[in-house]
């Protein structure tokens, strides 16, 4: 065991996080894959997230995601992520987050990272990994996107940087101007056809991959016919589908106990049926070949978003930044601590 000493604390801001992610999304995806495999092997601890809500602001919340990830990562930590939808009306982003990384020998924090980018990155990477596992290739003839905010933008960047073959996009947002702006960006990055849909149904029709990244708190999609043509759906916002839509598809998630709670669509389906038989497996099951998508049937991937993924991406960013001598290092942050 190495000698135990008080660590320094390295603070890593958004620009440095973004630089590392933007420069190597393929490696970032492999980091997320490795984290899922470690979690599937039981080499992790991922308690349920804690939700802090406010009696005077029903749409706002702050979530705490503590976790430990073993294997080559061997790191603990906590993501503290706030979602205040009214922020956008004041010209600032809805979400803000920090990630604390803790040394597993002393328990001391050794890094504090801006984490809204890390959170969006791990969400997008896990989504695109799920899409590849369920579609069987990095190929989607048409991609429908419902909700064109930050998460959708990160998903699109992973699809681009991982070399996905895509012929067209169908975009829908309750704010048509947001969809138009996102579409203009896609046109700059790709030769794929980009169409802004007038109705949400148009983002499903004739699309073999559909990405849901809304801020919906209750189901707003009730028609199982949306899935009649058998698409793969990345249900990242977790609460868009009514139970009857969930029950019309094969369903996969990252961790069953985490995903079937807090009134997610999967949770509502459980309440409706009284069981979890509609769940077909996890990412770990797909990675190991223990389960597979049924050909021609709709498949919905609803990842709850595990804290171990934040740790994996955050540790990867920290290692790269520290190796380059970047970040703000505070050597005496814990100096004078007693007891």
């Amino acid at each position: 065991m190495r000698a135990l000493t008080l660590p320094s604390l390295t603070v890593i801001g958004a620009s440095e996080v973004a630089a590392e992610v933007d420069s190597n999304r393929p490696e970032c995806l492999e980091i997320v894959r490795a984290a899922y495999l470690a979690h599937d092997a039981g080499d992790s601890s991922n308690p349920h997230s804690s939700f802090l809500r406010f009696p005077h602001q029903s749409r706002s919340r702050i979530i705490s995601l503590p976790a430990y990830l073993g294997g080559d990562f061997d790191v603990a930590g906590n993501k503290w992520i706030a979602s205040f939808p009214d922020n956008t009306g004041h010209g600032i982003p809805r979400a803000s987050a920090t990630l604390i990384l803790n040394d597993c020998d002393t328990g001391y924090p050794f890094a504090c990272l801006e984490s809204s980018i890390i959170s969006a990155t791990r969400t997008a990477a896990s989504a695109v990994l799920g899409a590849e596992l369920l579609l069987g290739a990095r190929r989607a003839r048409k991609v429908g996107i419902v909700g064109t905010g930050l998460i959708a933008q990160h998903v699109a960047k992973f699809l681009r940087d991982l070399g996905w073959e895509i012929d067209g996009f169908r975009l829908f947002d309750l704010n048509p101007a947001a969809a138009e702006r996102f579409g203009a960006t896609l046109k700059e990055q790709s030769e794929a056809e980009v169409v802004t849909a007038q109705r949400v149904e148009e983002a499903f029709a004739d699309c073999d991959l559909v990405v849901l990244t809304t801020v919906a708190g209750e189901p707003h999609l009730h028609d199982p016919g949306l899935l009649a043509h058998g698409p793969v759906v990345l249900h990242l916002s977790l609460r868009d589908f009514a139970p009857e839509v969930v029950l019309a598809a094969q369903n996969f998630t990252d961790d069953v106990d985490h995903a079937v709670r807090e009134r997610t669509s999967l949770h509502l389906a459980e309440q409706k049926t009284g069981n979890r038989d509609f769940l077909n497996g996890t990412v770990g099951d797909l990675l190991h070949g223990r389960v597979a998508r049924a050909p021609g049937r709709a498949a919905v991937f609803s990842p709850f978003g595990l804290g171990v993924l934040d740790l994996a991406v955050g540790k990867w960013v920290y290692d790269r930044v520290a190796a380059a001598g970047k970040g703000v290092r505070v050597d005496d942050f814990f100096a004078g601590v007693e007891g």
Side-chain angles (χ1 to χ4, degrees):
M1 183 176 178
R2 62 182 171 85
L4 301 183
T5 59
L6 289 178
S8 61
L9 181 73
T10 300
V11 179
I12 302 173
S15 61
E16 290 176 310
V17 174
E20 298 303 332
V21 172
D22 289 343
S23 66
N24 207 336
R25 286 191 177 85
E27 184 177 340
C28 189
L29 182 98
E30 294 309 312
I31 290 294
V32 167
R33 187 194 303 269
Y36 271 135
L37 289 170
H39 182 65
D40 182 74
D43 198 2
S44 66
S45 179
N46 205 110
H48 283 314
S49 309
S50 296
F51 288 71
L52 176 63
R53 294 188 170 90
F54 303 87
H56 61 293
Q57 294 175 270
S58 61
R59 298 203 307 151
S60 299
R61 64 188 183 186
I62 307 179
I63 310 174
S64 174
L65 289 85
Y68 163 75
L69 183 60
D72 292 336
F73 298 97
D74 193 32
V75 65
N78 186 63
K79 181 176 73 174
W80 183 242
I81 181 166
S83 174
F84 280 56
D86 291 343
N87 283 356
T88 57
H90 299 277
I92 60 175
R94 170 185 62 84
S96 62
T98 55
L99 175 67
I100 299 294
L101 300 180
N102 294 76
D103 179 88
C104 289
D105 288 331
T106 67
Y108 274 87
F110 62 87
C112 176
L113 300 90
E114 195 285 330
S115 197
S116 65
I117 296 171
I118 289 172
S119 186
T121 295
R122 61 83 153 149
T123 299
S126 68
V128 173
L129 175 61
E132 181 178 341
L133 292 169
L134 292 170
L135 286 170
R138 293 179 177 177
R139 164 74 178 150
R141 188 174 52 83
K142 290 184 181 178
V143 177
I145 300 179
V146 180
T148 56
L150 178 67
I151 300 299
Q153 295 164 28
H154 278 263
V155 170
K157 289 174 181 177
F158 267 92
L159 293 173
R160 178 198 67 196
D161 290 359
L162 288 164
W164 275 64
E165 298 177 21
I166 297 171
D167 297 334
F169 290 92
R170 299 292 181 266
L171 312 179
F172 176 82
D173 198 290
L174 290 176
N175 180 355
E180 291 287 352
R181 288 193 297 270
F182 184 39
T185 299
L186 289 176
K187 290 176 182 178
E188 293 175 356
Q189 299 175 351
S190 168
E191 296 181 359
E193 178 191 42
V194 180
V195 175
T196 300
Q198 302 303 307
R199 300 180 303 118
V200 67
E201 292 82 1
E202 297 171 26
F204 282 83
D206 203 27
C207 292
D208 44 359
L209 178 64
V210 180
V211 186
L212 302 179
T213 64
T214 74
V215 293
E218 296 290 337
H220 59 100
L221 299 172
H222 298 267
D223 181 10
L226 291 170
L227 307 183
H229 60 296
V232 168
V233 180
L234 305 178
H235 187 194
L236 307 186
S237 33
L238 292 174
R239 295 172 176 83
D240 300 86
F241 284 149
E244 53 265 33
V245 182
V246 172
L247 299 176
Q250 276 191 296
N251 290 279
F252 303 89
T253 187
D254 46 8
D255 185 289
V256 173
D257 287 338
H258 282 77
V260 188
R261 61 190 291 261
E262 292 291 334
R263 294 190 61 79
T264 64
S265 294
L266 297 181
H267 188 198
L268 296 179
E270 179 192 42
Q271 292 177 331
K272 181 179 179 67
T273 62
N275 59 61
R276 297 179 176 180
D277 295 345
F278 56 88
L279 279 164
N280 296 88
T282 66
V283 173
D285 292 327
L286 290 167
L287 285 168
H288 285 293
R290 295 189 292 257
V291 299
R293 179 191 177 193
R297 188 178 179 193
V300 178
F301 177 44
S302 303
F304 191 76
L306 301 177
V308 292
L309 300 185
D310 296 289
L311 293 183
V313 175
K315 181 64 162 47
W316 174 74
V317 169
Y318 167 80
D319 286 343
R320 291 168 66 92
V321 168
K326 299 178 182 178
V328 177
R329 178 169 166 160
V330 184
D331 289 323
D332 61 351
F333 189 86
F334 297 105
V337 173
E338 298 180 358

